[in-house]
Amino acid sequence: MTIAAVRTHRLSAPLHTPFVTALRRTTTVETLVVEVVDADGRSGYGEAPQVWQVTGASVAGSEACVRELIGPAVTGRDADDLVARCTEVQRVVVGNEAAKAAVDVALHDLAARRLGVPLVRLLGGTALRVPTDVTLAAGEAVDLAAAARQRRAEGFGVLKLKVGTDAAGDLERVRAVRSAVGNGVRIRLDANQGWTPREAVRVIRGVEDAGLDVELVEQPVARWDLDGLAWVSDRVDVPILADESVFGVRDLVEVIRRRAADMVNVKLAKCGGLHPARTLLDLAAAHGLGTVVGSMMESQVGIGAAASLVGAYGTTAVADLDAAWWLAWSPVRGGLRYEGATVVLPDAPGLGISSVTEVKMQAHS
């Protein structure tokens, strides 16, 4: 069955709470949803989130890439020849991982729909329930403590605390959150490249000496500073999770070669989709690295694909897939839902998405 059209939809949806990290502050999700349509009129969906400060991807840039290069490369080709189509997606353009991810996921979603199975089944798994952490946006200690208590009351057992905006005050922030939730909740830290290597070691050792029981520390230093990342990893006991330092396979190979981190966070919008994401997970496992699957600020489209990957492949630590939970309303019909700290995938073909909401959306063929 041939691919008849590749369409793009621009989405803007508000968050119920501002999302603040060491890199940015946002109150909306700005994203591009890609729709791949076969000759029978079936549609598969994928997503390219706009994240200027992390991937450099924009809605306009991803849309141009899909419309001018990736879309024409797959239109008219066999939708059922999934590996070949995904390989073409990766080869047709340099970079543009978010655009590649959107088309890659849409092709997978369409293939699962054509077979009448959930995407997780197409990927080789059966789990429709995937636990997730929830993020505590960067802020002052008292506000973080209040947010932590609320998230715990809502059923979340793993809290990801955004730090890195102020190294001098970060230990107190961690202390406040631990005091607020007690010992029954896991806490992980994400500095989003906000510390220098020396600051990272100072803060992490302070956390260790205070007995605050932090599960892991994500991307403590600048993404390009692999020597600094390795220097930190060598000097602390808490596992270090590489995020922005690893986009694709070559990045992960270098992290492994330098022993720069203990774990890797795999994100579809960083690596280019489900096809390369599976390679990253296999490579990490082969070299004894821990794994997390995370996301950018995305809708149910991107989170559904990432959760399906976790449902099929698993990870060594709880996934980081709360992004769609932050949305004030859903920009899509159908798809996943949240039950407390669990992403619940629909027992329906593909991602289970029936349409993209027309509100604040522009469609192009």
Side-chain angles (χ1 to χ4, degrees), residues 275-294:
H275 193 61
R278 286 178 282 181
T279 301
L280 288 171
L281 291 174
D282 286 340
L283 180 60
H287 288 271
L289 266 68
T291 52
V292 172
V293 168

Side-chain angles (χ1 to χ4, degrees), residues 136 144-145 148 159 161 173-182 187:
L136 303 179
L144 288 166
L159 306 179
L161 170 56
R173 292 180 176 90
V174 181
R175 196 190 308 274
V177 169
R178 175 55 74 199
S179 176
V181 300
I187 296 174

Side-chain angles (χ1 to χ4, degrees), residues 108-114 116-120 308 345-346 348-353:
H108 280 85
D109 184 31
L110 179 59
R113 288 170 186 265
R114 289 178 53 75
V117 299
L119 179 56
V120 67
S308 296
L345 295 166
L351 292 169
I353 292 169

Side-chain angles (χ1 to χ4, degrees), residues 16-18 134-156 158-161 176-177 180-181 185 325-326:
H16 57 67
T17 307
V134 69
T135 298
L136 303 179
E140 296 305 317
V142 63
D143 299 321
L144 288 166
R149 282 189 289 268
Q150 184 174 351
R151 298 292 91 82
R152 182 187 62 180
E154 292 166 349
F156 289 97
V158 183
L159 306 179
K160 183 163 90 165
L161 170 56
V177 169
V181 300
V185 173
W325 173 88
W326 289 76

